[in-house]
Amino acid sequence: MAYDRQILQILSDVGELGIGVQHLAKHVYNMNCTFFFQPDLQEIRNYVRKYLLRNSKSAQSLIERTGRRGYYRLNKNNADARQLMLEFRNTRIQEVAEDKEEKPQADFSLSLFD
């Protein structure tokens, strides 16, 4: 589902400190809100909570708990998690490079002497 990829992207963004379940759910909710569609926040919270519990059970899981209660982060000891962090980092670098490309700006100013 699309929520899975978004959860992993957010966990990659927050880094080693991790993020709380409620904050993570709000980020996912905001990523899916549009002008014409607003998902149910409670449904997304339940999905995020279940996803985190399901994917943080063992020491080699993709997601791990931090020292704080209710906070999660990507597991640095897992090869898949390291690969995800590299993929998300590369996509962000490409997006920044595309934004920095100079685009010629048209001159829309009005002339006083025409």
Side-chain angles (χ1 to χ4, degrees), residues 34-71:
T34 64
F35 186 68
F36 299 105
F37 175 71
Q38 290 186 346
D40 184 29
L41 179 59
Q42 190 61 38
E43 182 179 309
I44 290 178
R45 280 183 184 158
N46 289 337
Y47 183 85
V48 168
R49 185 176 47 82
K50 288 178 185 176
Y51 181 82
L52 291 173
L53 289 174
R54 185 175 56 241
N55 290 307
S56 65
K57 291 199 180 261
S58 71
Q60 295 301 318
S61 296
L62 185 62
I63 299 169
E64 69 179 353
R65 293 183 179 105
T66 63
R68 294 177 63 182
R69 182 174 179 248
Y71 277 68

Side-chain angles (χ1 to χ4, degrees), residues 14-29:
V14 296
E16 290 187 29
L17 296 177
I19 189 170
V21 177
Q22 298 301 324
H23 288 109
L24 182 59
K26 282 195 177 189
H27 281 289
V28 173
Y29 173 78

Side-chain angles (χ1 to χ4, degrees), residues 1-111:
M1 189 171 219
Y3 296 152
D4 298 349
R5 187 96 170 133
Q6 291 171 350
I7 291 169
L8 293 174
Q9 181 180 3
I10 294 167
L11 288 172
S12 174
D13 290 342
V14 296
E16 290 187 29
L17 296 177
I19 189 170
V21 177
Q22 298 301 324
H23 288 109
L24 182 59
K26 282 195 177 189
H27 281 289
V28 173
Y29 173 78
N30 288 333
M31 291 174 83
N32 290 291
C33 280
T34 64
F35 186 68
F36 299 105
F37 175 71
Q38 290 186 346
D40 184 29
L41 179 59
Q42 190 61 38
E43 182 179 309
I44 290 178
R45 280 183 184 158
N46 289 337
Y47 183 85
V48 168
R49 185 176 47 82
K50 288 178 185 176
Y51 181 82
L52 291 173
L53 289 174
R54 185 175 56 241
N55 290 307
S56 65
K57 291 199 180 261
S58 71
Q60 295 301 318
S61 296
L62 185 62
I63 299 169
E64 69 179 353
R65 293 183 179 105
T66 63
R68 294 177 63 182
R69 182 174 179 248
Y71 277 68
Y72 293 86
R73 64 180 171 212
L74 286 179
N75 189 354
K76 300 261 185 190
N77 298 328
N78 188 321
D80 293 333
R82 287 192 302 265
Q83 182 65 33
L84 279 173
M85 286 185 272
L86 290 174
E87 285 178 17
F88 288 130
R89 187 173 298 135
N90 288 339
T91 56
R92 274 189 247 120
I93 290 171
Q94 289 173 352
E95 289 171 358
V96 169
E98 290 172 0
D99 290 341
K100 287 186 178 180
E101 290 179 5
E102 285 191 34
K103 299 175 185 171
Q105 294 185 2
D107 185 20
F108 294 115
S109 61
L110 297 175
S111 176

